[in-house]
Every structure is written in C-alpha cells, then in structure tokens.
Amino acid sequence: MAAVLVVMLAGCSSDSTPAGSNTSATSSSAVTKTVPDVTGKLFPVANNLLNNDGLSGVAFGKDGKEWKSRYPGDAKVLSSVPAAGSSTDAKLIRLNIDMNESDVIAAAKAEEAAAKKKAAEKAAADKRAAEKAAAAKKAAEEAKLKPKVYSGFGDDVVAITKHDTGAEALVVQHEGPSNFAVHSLDSSLESTDLLVNEIGNYNGTVLLDGGWSSTETSKLEITAGGAWTITLVPLQKVKSFNGKAPITGHGDDVFYYTGEIASATFTHDGSHNIAVKTHGLDSDLLINEIGPYKGTVVWRPGLYSVIADGNWSATIK
C-alpha cells in the first residue's frame, strides 16, 4: 500500500493533472483512454482497475483536499474526474472518496491517545493489585509471626504450638513469693531443658530449643506460686543491635548481634551467675562467672543469650 501511495504522490508532482482542471491542451498525438467505472469500490480496488488501463488514481476527500501522507485503504470512491466512461489522455484520475485525510489522522491520534490512556490505567491497576498482594502477603507473614501468649496461676502443664521448628524465644513473667520454674517437655512428656529456676518474682527472656538437641518442645511444665505469663516469640521478632551503640539489659535476655566481628566489653552488676552464650554453628559459652563481672571477649555476629540477675551491658570496642 505504501508503494502505491508513493506512486500516487509522485504522480501528483508530475506535469499531468486530473481531467477537468485548468491545463494546457495536450498534443494531438497523446493516447486517449476510457475511464473505467470505479464508483462504490474501495480505493485500492479502484486504483488497481485504473492501473490495468495505464491510469492512476489520486485521492481527494469530501473536503476537496488531496490525501498526501496516508493511504486511503478503507475509503470508498464516490466519483471520478473525468467521470466513468469519459475519454482522457491524462494519466492521473481524480477519485473523490468518502473520507477526509484530516479526519483519519485525528481519529488515529485519538485512538493512540485512548490506547495510551488504557495502558496507563492498566499499569496503575496492575500496580494497585501488586501493592494489595504485597500487603496481603506481609499481613499473612506478620500473622504467622505473631507472638503466642499462654497464662495461668500456679503449677500447670501447657501445650504450646511453635511458629516453626528450631529455636524460639520465651518471654516469661511471674508474680509470687515461692519457687518458679519452667521446664520444656518433648512429646513423651520428658524434660528436655530447665529454662527458668528462680525464687519470687521473675521477668526475663530465655531461649527455647536452642541447644544441639533436635527435640522439639510440645509442652511446658510450670511450677509456680503465683500468676504467670509466657509469650512464645519467633526469633525474627527478638531485638538486635549492630554495635554502634551498647546494648543493655536486666536479667535473662535473647538478642541478635548484626555488626562485624570485634572485641566487646561486657559488664554485670548482679550477685548470682552471669553467663553469655552464642548459638548456632559456632555455639560457645563466652562468659560464665558468679557476681559482678567486667571483661572483654571476642564478639561475633549471631544469636546471643544472657543469664543474669542484675544489670548488664555489651559495648563493641
């Protein structure tokens, strides 16, 4: 079609013009031809019929303007100049068609704008859908990691449901004057670890299933003389520090160190046992003393647990 348009436009720039226009008389030796009837035919069909007789059509819209930049492939011929059946020695025949080039250009621009708008709306809708899906996924993950709370009074054996296999943290509170102890139990109700063993009130965080054993805790055995609350927390929710500022605490705790390997000064002002452990592939008992303590140890990235009865701090040097 583009090739036909080039031929058509080239014809427009020649000295030949459609019959009926003001032109000088042709030589008496020019060959005359009869214009075929192409009325009602699509412009490409009409032009092919003209080409068969050695003629070529030039498209003019209803507004009287010649088509110059587009090929009127969908247009129908309304009339021709010269008219069908006329004899002519001109090679270019004016074909009046039922479309204006300006209207087709405007319609194409409108269609392009509508397509761009539709694409932008789809992109916006896709973005909203992706954001909604991401929010739903995040909400589901948060729900999965939501701490689980168990509470009671006095002695009890409580069935727990862990968030996942492996280590988790237990935030434990007790109010009462007598002995308070928490044992972890396996599915056979065998004790696997003594997590807490204190007299009186207690408030601390301890590590559950953090040892080398692959046994998963299914129940907790509680010995208490008062009210207690135990909150099961996934390790993703425990606190962390990167070493830029000291980490401090009181009593038992669990945390992550996320900085670089370095030396750290650890202090403790309590009167009972102070123990600091790392957990994981390189598990180690870094500190194990009685009473006040101050010392410097090698501090590596990873999970730590502290057993203490006083205030403590770790400062990266």
Side-chain angles (χ1 to χ4, degrees), residues 57-118:
V58 181
F60 281 79
K62 295 171 68 175
D63 58 2
K65 296 181 179 179
E66 181 183 353
W67 283 54
K68 294 183 178 181
S69 62
R70 289 177 178 262
Y71 187 78
D74 296 329
K76 286 186 178 181
V77 177
L78 300 175
S79 63
S80 64
V81 181
S86 301
S87 296
T88 182
D89 56 8
K91 291 185 178 180
L92 298 179
I93 305 300
R94 171 172 174 157
L95 298 181
N96 298 315
I97 60 177
D98 62 355
M99 292 183 181
N100 297 327
E101 185 178 31
S102 59
D103 294 339
V104 173
I105 292 174
K109 289 182 178 179
E111 184 178 354
E112 182 181 1
K116 288 182 177 179
K117 181 181 179 181
K118 185 176 181 180

Side-chain angles (χ1 to χ4, degrees), residues 11-196:
C12 292
S13 64
S14 68
D15 293 335
S16 299
T17 59
S21 61
N22 295 326
T23 60
S24 59
T26 57
S27 77
S28 59
S29 61
V31 178
T32 61
K33 298 181 179 180
T34 300
V35 178
D37 185 5
V38 294
T39 302
K41 299 184 183 300
L42 290 176
F43 180 84
V45 176
N47 200 41
N48 284 337
L49 292 174
L50 292 173
N51 293 161
N52 291 337
D53 291 335
L55 303 173
S56 183
V58 181
F60 281 79
K62 295 171 68 175
D63 58 2
K65 296 181 179 179
E66 181 183 353
W67 283 54
K68 294 183 178 181
S69 62
R70 289 177 178 262
Y71 187 78
D74 296 329
K76 286 186 178 181
V77 177
L78 300 175
S79 63
S80 64
V81 181
S86 301
S87 296
T88 182
D89 56 8
K91 291 185 178 180
L92 298 179
I93 305 300
R94 171 172 174 157
L95 298 181
N96 298 315
I97 60 177
D98 62 355
M99 292 183 181
N100 297 327
E101 185 178 31
S102 59
D103 294 339
V104 173
I105 292 174
K109 289 182 178 179
E111 184 178 354
E112 182 181 1
K116 288 182 177 179
K117 181 181 179 181
K118 185 176 181 180
E121 291 174 345
K122 183 179 183 302
D126 290 345
K127 181 180 179 181
R128 289 193 297 271
E131 290 174 345
K132 184 177 180 180
K137 182 179 179 180
K138 182 178 179 181
E141 291 174 349
E142 289 293 330
K144 184 178 178 181
L145 298 178
K146 184 178 180 180
K148 301 178 180 182
V149 180
Y150 305 88
S151 60
F153 188 96
D155 298 348
D156 206 346
V157 175
V158 180
I160 65 171
T161 302
K162 296 173 62 177
H163 296 83
D164 203 350
T165 58
E168 296 201 9
L170 288 182
V171 180
V172 183
Q173 295 176 311
H174 172 250
E175 293 182 1
S178 59
N179 180 240
F180 175 65
V182 179
H183 284 86
S184 56
L185 306 178
D186 61 18
S187 58
S188 300
L189 297 183
E190 295 291 333
S191 177
T192 57
D193 197 3
L194 176 60
L195 302 174
V196 179

